Each structure stands twice: as structure tokens, then as C-alpha cells.
Amino acid sequence: MSLHITKIYIRNFRSALNLSLSPGKLAVLVGKNDSGKSNVLRALNLFFNGRTMPSNVFDFEIDHNVFHNPNQRAKEISIKLEIEMPETYKATNGDFVVWERRWRSEGMVHDEYSGRRRVAGPRGGAKLETVEIPKKSNAHALLRHINFVYVPAIKDLEYFSELRASIYDIIAEVADREFRSSSQDFEQSISHQLEDLTNQITASLGFRSRLALPKDLSHIFGSLDFLSEGHDISLDARGDGIKARHIPLILKFMADKKRGLQVRGAQPHTFIWGYEEPENNLELSSCVELADQFWGFIDHGVSQIFLTTHSPVFYNLHRKQEEGESRISCHHIFREADEEGTKQVTELGDLDERMGTTALFAPLVTELEERVRRQEQAHAEVEQLGQANRRKIFVEGVSDRFIIGKALSVFAAERNAEIDIETKDGAGINYVIDMLQSWRSRAKHHPELPRAAGLLDLDPEAKTALKNWNDVPGHTKSAKCFKLPTPPHLFPALQAGFRVPVVLECLYDKEAWFWAESHGHLKDRSVLSVISKELNNQIVNAETTLDGHLHDDWAIFVKKEFKQAGKGPMARHYANKTDEDFRARMPYMEHLIDEIVAYLFPEEEEVQEPNGEPPVIASAGFRTF
């Protein structure tokens, strides 16, 4: 039910001679240094708080655009906002409010707002009609309850002191009675300790005197500290990045607390933030987390956020939304010429040209952002999974979970109940490696954590990922990567030179593939992906045919592949086979299961036979390609 700004018009304020923009609920302002990005935030702060910055009073001579020299009229700064009204207010007050404030050298000279209603035009178009907001309308209180918070680019100790002090205003309202009681107890304790001093003052000066806390405790809150648990490290002693991450959490806390104070029937508060360069002092992963945090706050306690940035992490945010969605807007702010002042464009088509090399990093940063988000999600999932203190196998998809689960029950029945197989839809290689990485990270701090295994296909990308993981010293102490075996029925095709990727579905025998084809689970494979360039040229030149190089025993593995929709039904069908049938058709899975179980239960390796020799585990060996 909170408000949000849908249009901003700024005239003659600092570098903005004539600037307008249509912000989304998360509005990202991008541009070079001194392009005028921050002036948008300062204009909003002037509009709502009467100051250009929290520490700077309004000075018309400084804040008026130097190139605005009207001939007949007085110099004037104008800021006009269009503010969308909640649905329940529109019938009486219009669809949105137009609110304008103007300043001259003597101060504010104009402050008016009125509603606008969208109505059908005479020729089927639309037009706006002005709506006078009734004096008794709740819209007046709604507009007065807009809280604009400005966060400067330089977040020094003074800023943090003021931020902590502002917590007092909220806490004092929430717990006024409790505060009074606690402060009285504190005052009595002080009086008891200083009783001799106060008695001397009374005897000397002839009147009673006592020490008391001040009525306003905000300066005391400004001296409060956040201490890290365990080591009691002061927030002031922490790095700038850690301190910066506290800011949105503190602001969100105050917004939630203030909203919680509302009595029933009162008009709600609207919280809008103007945030300068949130990337300052943050490494990439923290930037990604903060960007996602901003996005998560929108409509969940914070109505709208304006932020200025040089970082691709933040101006890539608009790519998070669905096509056609406009909750995130990205505005390129630039200065064309001094006389023309600051301009803006919503589309980023010319960003590369105007921003230079910074914008060229955006696609690369997007890939890194995705990796960071994946790893953060994996970290959160492992934190949850690790609490169960059970052994895990992470696999690439739901089909893998069916088959590996069945293989465990057949080849390691005594350990099956002690192992969890984890995955999710569309997991893939990245999921497995990210989960192993997070498991390894958790094990460093929790040595008692059981081991985890990852299982990958044998396609080229998986082979590289497996090698990169297992070859790093220390990785396999707590998490190791394994690969699917190459089934014997695929050997002839591979030996014939066909580069068939060994994925889970290749473990199924020829009869299973024929069953899958009869149920519509297969499709034609792109032959170019599995044949050599030389053979392709021969086929193109009609020198030979593909079928001439295939054998009926394995041709289907070359010519066909599974549809995505067919993988699940096939895996369920195969996993439902009897244990005897599964063992007979997939004997090559036994060695893999033995390896994984032996890794997950290393204590068994230390068990000695009565003669002092380690137990011998017999298993069949199979070739891999």
C-alpha cells in the first residue's frame, strides 16, 4: 500500500538543466564521474528533506544551475514528481499525484500537489484530468509519510555514528515504557555510587542535586557498537566492506520497526532510499549479494530504491527481470555539454561508447555474477544439509538420482540407508562442483562432517571439471568427484571413431534404447557432433554413407539421443526393474559404487583381517575413454 515515484522532472538544479526520467521500483543510475548521477538523489533529498545531502543545507547560489539565466523571470529551481497512488486511493484522489516544489534565493516559494486521472479521450485515446484532492482525504497523510533516506558515497565513521543514533528514534517509540523503566534503574545505580558527591553538593550549595540521563539518548546510541561474536571486535575496527554491508540491514530494520508502530487505521509509511555507489569497498561477491538484497527488499519493507553506480553488477540488475517487466529500470546519465547540462537515456544502447571500457566488462561480470549466485545458493543449501551430518552423493539431475539410488540398493544394500543422493531439476555439472566446494568449505570448520561425493558424466566438459576438482591438493579430504563408467556396449562405437558423449542414458543397453524409441523418448542426433570432419566430408561428397560405418548392435547410440522430456520416464522405468535384472544389465556399476562407498566410509579401510592384512575387495575392472 506504499507509494512509489513514476516520473521525476528536475529543472535548474546543479547540473540538471532540464532532466526527466521514469524510474522503476529499483532505479539504477549509471554514468561516468561528474555526469550528474548523484544530483538526482540530491534533488530527491532536497524535495523530501529540505537538504541536498544529510550534512549539507540547501544553498540556492550553489545549487542553482549556473547556465540558467532567464531574462525576465527570477532564477528558480523546480522539482516535480509523479507518484502512483495505491488502488484504494484512486477513486477519490486520482490515479497518481503530481507534486511540485520550487525554490528561489529566498527559499521555497511553491509547494502544491493534485491528483490526475486517466480517462478515455474523444477519439479512443487517453487524456488526463486534474483531480482536487479533498481536504479530509487520507492521501495528505500518505504523502507526508514518505521517508526518503540518503546514503552518501563516502560512508565514514561520522556517518555510521549518525546512523546508529537514528536507531534511537525508532527504539524510543517501540519500547518507550521499557526504556523509562531501565533508565530509572540505571540512574538509581549511578546515584548510589555517587551519593557522597551529591551530598557534598547539597551541603555546599544548599539544594538537592542528582545525576540523570539526558532526555534524548540519540548521542549515546551514536556511540553504541556492533561487536563480532566470539572476539568482540568493534564494527569501527572492521573493514569498510563489512561496515558497508551493515547499512541496508540497519535501514531495513528501522523501516520495519517504524511500520510496526502504526496504529490501526493510520496511513502507512513509504520508505524510499537514495543510495550512492553501493559498490564502494566491496569485492565482487559482496556486490552480487548486496544487489540481490536490494532486489529482495523491494515491496518487502522498502517501496523504492534509487542507486548510482559504476559497477556492472548493479547495472546488470535490469537483466534479472522477465521480458516486458519494468520493476527495474536502468538510466544512463551523461553530460552532453555544459550549456545543455545532464541528460539521461533509459536504453543502454550507447553505453559502450559513452562509458568506455567499464561497460565492456559487463558481459564478463554477468558470468561471474551467475557463478557467485550459484555458489552462494550452494553454500546455503550445504549449511542446511550439513546439519543432518550424513554422507552425500551429489548428482547432475533427477534421472541420475533414480539410477544411482537403484545401484546403491543393489550393490551396497548394507550402506544404502546411510547415504543421501542430492540434486535438483536442471542441476548439471555446476551444481555438483558448487556443492562439493561448499561441502569442502564447511568441512574446514567442522572436521566431524562426513565425506561427500560428486558424480559426473563422461562428456568432455565433465572430464575437465572432474580433473580440476580432484587434482587440487586437499580437495578430496572431504569431497571427491567420480565419473560414470563407460559401458561395454558402447566400446565398439567409440573404437570406430564416433565421439558419443558418455552420459547417464548411455548406461542403458540396446534393448532399453529400443523401448525408449517405441515410447517416443528419442530424437535424431546431430551427426556432425559425433563424426569426424573427414567422414563428414566423405558423406557430403557422396563418397560414402553414415550407415556404411555403423553396426546394428550399436548404431542406435550414434544416430539417436534422448529428448529432455524422455530422460525422467526412462530412468524411472529402469529403476523399477528387479534387483536381479538391474544387476545383470548394469554390472559395470558395481565397481563405481564400491569406489564411492569406500571413499564415503574411510574408516572401513583401516579395518584389518585377523592375519594383519587389509581385506581384499574383488571387483571387475572396466575401461574408460
Side-chain angles (χ1 to χ4, degrees):
M1 198 173 175
S2 57
L3 305 169
H4 70 276
I5 301 166
T6 56
K7 199 85 173 180
I8 301 173
Y9 302 90
I10 304 172
R11 305 287 185 271
N12 310 321
F13 177 73
R14 295 199 167 205
S15 63
L17 188 63
N18 192 347
L19 176 67
S20 66
L21 64 152
S22 302
K25 290 198 169 184
L26 178 53
V28 183
L29 310 179
V30 186
K32 290 184 177 181
N33 290 327
D34 201 37
S35 61
K37 303 185 301 296
S38 296
N39 287 337
V40 176
L41 306 190
R42 290 169 184 150
L44 291 172
N45 202 51
L46 173 62
F47 189 94
F48 290 111
N49 298 325
R51 291 173 166 265
T52 53
M53 291 183 67
S55 57
N56 291 359
V57 297
F58 173 66
D59 187 327
F60 185 83
E61 295 304 318
I62 294 176
D63 295 320
H64 180 262
N65 185 285
V66 295
F67 295 102
H68 177 239
N69 292 300
N71 294 326
Q72 303 295 328
R73 297 179 298 167
K75 293 180 179 180
E76 190 173 78
I77 293 172
S78 169
I79 302 172
K80 183 166 65 174
L81 308 178
E82 292 183 7
I83 303 173
E84 190 75 13
M85 299 297 286
E87 287 298 326
T88 54
Y89 285 73
K90 290 184 177 181
T92 302
N93 307 286
D95 298 315
F96 62 94
V97 164
V98 176
W99 190 354
E100 183 178 16
R101 285 176 165 172
R102 298 199 294 264
W103 292 260
R104 293 180 180 176
S105 57
E106 61 268 30
M108 187 187 296
V109 296
H110 179 86
D111 181 11
E112 291 183 1
Y113 55 80
S114 57
R116 298 289 188 276
R117 179 174 287 115
R118 303 178 183 94
V119 296
R123 297 181 181 177
K127 67 175 184 177
L128 296 174
E129 64 178 21
T130 300
V131 177
E132 194 66 34
I133 298 176
K135 290 184 178 180
K136 294 184 178 181
S137 171
N138 290 329
H140 301 292
L142 193 66
L143 293 169
R144 287 196 302 271
H145 285 175
I146 295 177
N147 299 262
F148 183 81
V149 180
Y150 190 107
V151 181
I154 300 175
K155 304 160 183 71
D156 54 16
L157 291 178
E158 182 180 355
Y159 171 77
F160 279 95
S161 178
E162 292 173 355
L163 183 62
R164 289 184 292 231
S166 62
I167 298 176
Y168 169 73
D169 296 328
I170 303 297
I171 296 296
E173 291 183 70
V174 173
D176 184 56
R177 181 181 302 175
E178 184 180 346
F179 257 37
R180 285 199 302 269
S181 175
S182 298
S183 62
Q184 287 171 1
D185 292 342
F186 186 45
E187 288 174 358
Q188 289 176 3
S189 177
I190 293 174
S191 296
H192 176 70
Q193 296 296 327
L194 302 178
E195 187 174 4
D196 290 343
L197 174 60
T198 54
N199 286 341
Q200 290 178 27
I201 292 173
T202 300
S204 228
L205 302 179
F207 56 82
R208 296 289 301 172
S209 178
R210 68 181 181 89
L211 287 171
L213 290 172
K215 299 296 183 183
D216 184 354
L217 301 180
S218 59
H219 66 287
I220 295 178
F221 269 71
S223 302
L224 292 180
D225 207 352
F226 290 91
L227 302 179
S228 299
E229 186 178 357
H231 301 286
D232 287 347
I233 300 174
S234 166
L235 178 63
D236 291 342
R238 301 299 297 269
D240 290 338
I242 294 295
K243 287 189 285 190
R245 290 301 306 275
H246 279 69
I247 295 172
L249 298 173
I250 294 173
L251 296 178
K252 179 66 162 53
F253 162 80
M254 291 193 292
D256 291 341
K257 283 291 184 183
K258 194 160 189 175
R259 188 175 292 103
L261 287 172
Q262 289 178 205
V263 297
R264 190 170 183 178
Q267 301 315 300
H269 285 267
T270 293
F271 295 90
I272 300 176
W273 296 354
Y275 218 108
E276 273 194 285
E277 299 180 12
E279 69 271 17
N280 284 355
N281 304 309
L282 296 181
E283 78 280 359
L284 178 65
S285 61
S286 292
C287 277
V288 173
E289 291 172 23
L290 184 56
D292 290 344
Q293 194 173 61
F294 282 147
W295 180 229
F297 283 168
I298 292 297
D299 287 338
H300 293 87
V302 183
S303 175
Q304 197 166 15
I305 300 175
F306 295 83
L307 61 89
T308 66
T309 187
H310 299 283
S311 170
V313 170
F314 292 96
Y315 62 74
N316 278 338
L317 271 172
H318 71 286
R319 296 185 173 95
K320 284 175 65 72
Q321 60 191 349
E322 300 294 332
E323 186 175 352
E325 191 180 359
S326 58
R327 297 178 70 229
I328 304 177
S329 62
C330 193
H331 309 268
H332 180 201
I333 307 295
F334 64 94
R335 185 177 294 183
E336 190 70 67
D338 285 339
E339 292 77 7
E340 297 184 24
T342 295
K343 293 186 174 183
Q344 73 89 25
V345 292
T346 300
E347 298 299 327
L348 300 182
D350 67 343
L351 188 59
D352 288 349
E353 178 183 347
R354 295 184 181 274
M355 284 289 287
T357 56
T358 302
L360 299 179
F361 295 134
L364 300 177
V365 172
T366 300
E367 295 179 17
L368 293 174
E369 286 178 59
E370 183 56 36
R371 186 185 305 173
V372 169
R373 289 190 174 98
R374 285 198 331 261
Q375 291 173 350
E376 286 300 318
Q377 184 177 0
H379 180 74
E381 291 177 12
V382 163
E383 283 297 310
Q384 188 107 16
L385 293 174
Q387 294 174 11
N389 214 42
R390 289 174 56 83
R391 291 161 179 83
K392 305 287 183 182
I393 301 177
F394 299 107
V395 297
E396 292 191 48
V398 177
S399 298
D400 301 72
R401 181 164 58 191
F402 282 124
I403 299 303
I404 301 306
K406 179 68 175 181
L408 274 174
S409 68
V410 171
F411 299 115
E414 72 285 357
R415 290 299 192 186
N416 186 35
E418 301 177 65
I419 302 172
D420 297 331
I421 303 175
E422 304 289 347
T423 192
K424 61 182 182 181
D425 288 335
I429 297 172
N430 289 331
Y431 167 82
V432 174
I433 298 300
D434 289 343
M435 294 300 280
L436 293 180
Q437 180 69 56
S438 296
W439 196 270
R440 172 69 184 135
S441 177
R442 181 176 173 82
K444 291 179 182 178
H445 304 285
H446 299 274
E448 75 286 357
L449 189 70
R451 287 180 169 184
L455 182 59
L456 298 178
D457 293 338
L458 266 179
D459 57 319
E461 186 181 359
K463 287 182 180 179
T464 300
L466 182 144
K467 179 178 174 57
N468 289 344
W469 175 265
N470 287 343
D471 287 355
V472 175
H475 269 188
T476 57
K477 288 182 179 179
S478 53
K480 187 176 181 180
C481 213
F482 294 84
K483 57 188 176 183
L484 292 176
T486 304
H489 57 253
L490 206 59
F491 290 166
L494 297 172
Q495 290 168 341
F498 293 100
R499 300 187 302 271
V500 178
V502 182
V503 295
L504 177 78
E505 288 71 33
C506 288
L507 301 183
Y508 309 139
D509 54 29
K510 182 177 65 174
E511 289 72 20
W513 276 61
F514 284 137
W515 179 90
E517 185 172 34
S518 69
H519 286 76
H521 297 324
L522 301 184
K523 64 179 181 179
D524 292 336
R525 188 194 296 275
S526 172
V527 179
L528 288 176
S529 66
V530 295
I531 66 175
S532 66
K533 184 177 180 180
E534 180 182 0
L535 178 56
N536 179 63
N537 289 338
Q538 291 175 356
I539 294 173
V540 170
N541 294 329
E543 298 172 9
T544 187
T545 63
L546 176 63
D547 289 338
H549 294 261
L550 301 178
H551 191 282
D552 289 344
D553 287 344
W554 45 266
I556 192 170
F557 300 113
V558 175
K559 299 175 70 174
K560 299 288 183 176
E561 64 180 343
F562 271 78
K563 298 176 182 177
Q564 187 63 37
K567 293 180 179 181
M570 183 70 229
R572 285 190 290 271
H573 168 74
Y574 219 89
N576 283 331
K577 294 183 179 300
T578 65
D579 289 357
E580 293 75 14
D581 193 12
F582 187 90
R583 180 186 291 273
R585 299 177 75 164
M586 282 195 175
Y588 39 84
M589 292 295 288
E590 183 173 8
H591 181 61
L592 170 66
I593 296 301
D594 286 346
E595 282 188 322
I596 293 175
V597 170
Y599 173 76
L600 293 178
F601 296 89
E603 60 274 10
E604 290 194 349
E605 297 176 1
E606 301 173 3
V607 177
Q608 300 292 313
E609 293 291 345
N611 62 1
E613 295 296 325
V616 177
I617 301 176
S619 60
F622 292 92
R623 290 187 293 172
T624 59
F625 285 76

